[in-house]
């Protein structure tokens, strides 16, 4: 009888404990702010280095740095944002030679010289709905992004065209500080190495139809066939590492 009562008591205690565990609120992902840095790799037209493609950007792989944050509004669903600065390099000597050869061939003139100064510098502000999956101390973040690319500088091309009648024309593709709508997505894997802190890697895809580019000089010298850039598409794949604090 005592053994039966003891067994019943144990089962009762286990039941109460299990019920108490079920009634405890589940711990969800906490909001966070992270400092990130890494590499931004141009893709598509932005990376292309051919004269024939007027959308070729001749952009290079460069650094990216900034901040990422997430605020959770319901369980593991929240809003994530990212603010970053990118340097996508400048044109090399082989790049400007490609352009000079292209203009010279298409325009059929005495000579063409192309010079380039300046770099691709931009600031991206992206954000959107984010959902996070947890496994132990690991957190997988998935986010759909939309936002804005703000250029702070672009390469300036100066084209010197020497015509067969011994006249010359100078055409300049100007520095752009335009802004453009962008969209993309973000995937990140974080590890909570200490209470309230995590480290992790992130992959961020950003795409934009492009920023407006203006040109000064007598563009009639291009005869309607020479390369004339009016909009520069931008596509980037960013790989970053960061450390974040929870709040």
């Amino acid at each position: 009888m005592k053994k039966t009562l003891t067994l019943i008591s144990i089962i009762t205690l286990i039941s109460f404990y299990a019920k108490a565990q079920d009634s405890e609120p589940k711990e969800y992902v906490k909001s966070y702010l992270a400092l990130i840095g890494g590499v931004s790799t141009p893709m598509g037209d932005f990376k292309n280095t051919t004269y024939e493609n007027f959308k070729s950007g001749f952009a290079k792989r460069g650094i990216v740095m900034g901040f990422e944050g997430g605020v959770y509004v319901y369980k593991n669903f929240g809003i994530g944002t990212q603010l970053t600065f990118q340097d996508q390099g400048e044109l090399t000597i082989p790049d400007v030679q490609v352009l000079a050869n292209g203009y010279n061939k298409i325009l059929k003139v005495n000579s063409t010289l192309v010079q380039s100064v300046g770099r691709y510098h931009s600031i991206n502000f992206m954000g959107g709905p984010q959902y996070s999956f947890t496994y132990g101390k690991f957190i997988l973040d998935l986010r759909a992004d939309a936002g804005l690319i703000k250029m702070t500088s672009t390469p300036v091309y100066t084209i010197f065209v020497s015509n067969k009648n011994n006249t010359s024309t100078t055409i300049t593709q100007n520095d752009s500080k335009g802004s453009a709508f962008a969209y993309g997505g973000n995937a990140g894997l974080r590890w909570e190495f200490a209470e309230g802190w995590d480290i992790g890697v992130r992959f961020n895809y950003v795409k934009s139809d492009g920023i407006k580019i203006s040109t000064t000089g007598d563009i009639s010298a291009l005869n309607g066939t020479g390369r004339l850039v009016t909009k520069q598409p931008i596509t980037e794949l960013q790989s970053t590492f960061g450390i974040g604090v929870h709040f």
Side-chain angles (χ1 to χ4, degrees), residues 141-216:
D141 302 316
L142 298 177
R143 185 172 75 241
D145 277 337
L148 191 72
I149 291 179
K150 168 63 179 176
M151 301 303 299
T152 57
S153 70
T154 62
V156 176
Y157 304 164
T158 304
I159 308 155
F160 303 94
V161 180
S162 177
N163 300 305
K164 293 181 179 179
N165 57 5
N166 293 323
T167 61
S168 60
T169 303
T170 301
I171 302 167
T172 302
Q173 179 179 309
N174 299 311
D175 177 18
S176 175
K177 291 180 171 57
S179 302
F181 172 77
Y183 61 92
N186 183 291
L189 181 62
R190 296 181 283 138
W191 171 51
E192 188 177 2
F193 67 92
E195 182 67 28
W197 292 88
D198 68 52
I199 56 174
V201 294
R202 295 162 176 84
F203 299 95
N204 191 39
Y205 176 77
V206 180
K207 183 174 179 62
S208 173
D209 290 340
I211 55 169
K212 291 183 179 180
I213 302 290
S214 65
T215 302
T216 55

Side-chain angles (χ1 to χ4, degrees), residues 225-247:
T225 59
R227 173 186 167 95
L228 178 63
V229 180
T230 58
K231 181 178 281 191
Q232 178 60 64
I234 297 173
T235 307
E236 304 162 335
L237 179 63
Q238 300 175 341
S239 308
T240 60
F241 176 83
I243 180 168
V245 58
H246 301 177
F247 57 89

Side-chain angles (χ1 to χ4, degrees), residues 13 180 186 223:
L13 287 173
N186 183 291
N223 297 325

Side-chain angles (χ1 to χ4, degrees), residues 4-227:
T4 303
L5 289 174
T6 302
L7 184 59
I8 292 174
S9 300
I10 293 173
I11 294 174
T12 302
L13 287 173
I14 292 174
S15 299
F16 274 115
Y17 177 76
K19 186 176 181 180
Q21 289 290 97
D22 291 340
S23 63
E24 288 181 1
K26 182 178 178 180
E27 186 174 343
Y28 296 105
V29 181
K30 293 181 179 179
S31 300
Y32 67 96
L33 178 65
L35 175 66
I36 60 174
V39 176
S40 182
T41 303
M43 302 175 67
D45 291 330
F46 195 35
K47 179 183 178 181
N48 196 285
T49 58
T50 61
Y51 171 89
E52 292 75 16
N53 182 358
F54 287 10
K55 297 180 180 180
S56 295
F58 296 86
K60 305 297 188 290
R61 181 181 298 173
I63 63 168
V64 55
M65 61 184 68
F67 297 95
E68 180 183 283
V71 177
Y72 292 90
V73 295
Y74 179 72
K75 297 183 179 180
N76 286 357
F77 176 80
I79 302 297
T81 58
Q82 193 173 72
L83 177 66
T84 57
F85 166 82
Q86 297 75 220
D87 179 340
Q88 299 291 173
E90 60 186 345
L91 272 71
T92 63
I93 292 177
D95 291 337
V96 295
Q97 190 62 54
V98 165
L99 293 176
N101 293 343
Y103 280 114
N104 205 57
K105 179 180 178 180
I106 295 296
L107 300 180
K108 296 180 173 58
V109 293
N110 283 346
S111 64
T112 305
L113 173 66
V114 177
Q115 295 179 344
S116 175
V117 295
R119 304 175 70 87
Y120 282 110
H121 284 170
S122 63
I123 296 173
N124 293 358
F125 179 73
M126 307 292 291
Q130 176 169 306
Y131 192 86
S132 298
F133 301 87
T134 60
Y135 183 79
K137 295 292 185 179
F138 290 93
I139 305 168
L140 173 64
D141 302 316
L142 298 177
R143 185 172 75 241
D145 277 337
L148 191 72
I149 291 179
K150 168 63 179 176
M151 301 303 299
T152 57
S153 70
T154 62
V156 176
Y157 304 164
T158 304
I159 308 155
F160 303 94
V161 180
S162 177
N163 300 305
K164 293 181 179 179
N165 57 5
N166 293 323
T167 61
S168 60
T169 303
T170 301
I171 302 167
T172 302
Q173 179 179 309
N174 299 311
D175 177 18
S176 175
K177 291 180 171 57
S179 302
F181 172 77
Y183 61 92
N186 183 291
L189 181 62
R190 296 181 283 138
W191 171 51
E192 188 177 2
F193 67 92
E195 182 67 28
W197 292 88
D198 68 52
I199 56 174
V201 294
R202 295 162 176 84
F203 299 95
N204 191 39
Y205 176 77
V206 180
K207 183 174 179 62
S208 173
D209 290 340
I211 55 169
K212 291 183 179 180
I213 302 290
S214 65
T215 302
T216 55
D218 184 10
I219 62 173
S220 64
L222 300 179
N223 297 325
T225 59
R227 173 186 167 95

